[in-house]
Amino acid sequence: MNSTIVKISKLYDEVTTPTHATDGSACFDIHAYVPDEHVVVIYDRFNSTFDVPCSSDGISLEPGERILVPTGFRLAIPIGYSVRLHARSGISLKNGVALANSQGIIDADYRKEVFVLLHNTSAEPFRIKHGDRICQGEVVEMVNFQFEEGAVSNESLERVGGFGSTGINN
């Protein structure tokens, strides 16, 4: 079986390489690179930014704040692919921390350090420690398409309505 190769370049020796948690995992885990004295950028609810140094016990993300969490690596994604970043369900459920942009997308032509944009939606501070699994990534093949301008019928194919029209129960 042929595999698609995504090259990774660690920017620091102690960076944790992304890995699949199990053989059946569709996504790979991405870890925080927040060692002692490393500086991260935090955005408060008023969109003010702060450079905050990490300590040996990580960094605190206060309620309503967003943070660019460094990963300490760069990727060389082949043309025709992207990497999609997804929230970790346990962190979202138990701590109210999710990706601020719902899903991060790393394009094939982006070759700088990968950052993860997290948002604390809870009323409690959330601590991010060096090496913590903060999100998961998925390699996605792009579909080659073009837009073609023309008339589009407003007739629904099989459904009536939009937002919430199918209800919440079966």
Side-chain angles (χ1 to χ4, degrees):
M1 173 182 217
N2 290 337
S3 294
T4 299
I5 304 296
V6 176
K7 292 185 179 180
I8 184 169
S9 175
K10 291 182 178 184
L11 302 174
Y12 312 94
D13 290 338
E14 64 276 9
V15 168
T16 304
T17 303
T19 56
H20 289 85
T22 67
D23 289 340
S25 295
C27 295
F28 52 89
D29 291 326
I30 295 177
H31 303 258
Y33 183 79
V34 291
D36 192 22
E37 305 287 324
H38 200 75
V39 175
V40 297
V41 178
I42 291 186
Y43 294 75
D44 69 12
R45 60 191 178 106
F46 303 107
N47 287 329
S48 298
T49 60
F50 304 92
D51 290 343
V52 180
C54 301
S55 69
S56 59
D57 63 340
I59 188 83
S60 182
L61 184 62
E62 298 299 317
E65 288 183 337
R66 299 175 313 278
I67 185 173
L68 283 171
V69 182
T71 63
F73 65 80
R74 297 182 307 171
L75 296 175
I77 303 165
I79 298 297
Y81 292 85
S82 65
V83 170
R84 306 295 167 96
L85 302 180
H86 306 285
R88 291 187 45 81
S89 58
I91 293 173
S92 293
L93 174 66
K94 297 174 185 174
N95 305 105
V97 174
L99 270 69
N101 52 346
S102 298
Q103 180 183 83
I105 300 173
I106 306 170
D107 296 312
D109 58 355
Y110 178 80
R111 297 296 168 93
K112 297 180 180 179
E113 182 176 7
V114 171
F115 287 85
V116 177
L117 180 56
L118 293 180
H119 179 215
N120 185 351
T121 66
S122 78
E124 299 294 326
F126 178 71
R127 185 149 297 278
I128 302 166
K129 296 180 182 167
H130 182 62
D132 281 354
R133 294 179 296 164
I134 53 169
C135 77
Q136 47 191 340
E138 175 184 24
V139 176
V140 176
E141 188 170 8
M142 295 173 14
V143 174
N144 190 8
F145 72 95
Q146 295 179 355
F147 286 104
E148 182 178 291
E149 192 171 333
V152 176
S153 168
N154 64 359
E155 178 183 334
S156 292
L157 298 178
E158 293 184 23
R159 64 181 293 151
V160 176
F163 297 96
S165 65
T166 61
I168 57 173
N169 296 329
N170 291 344

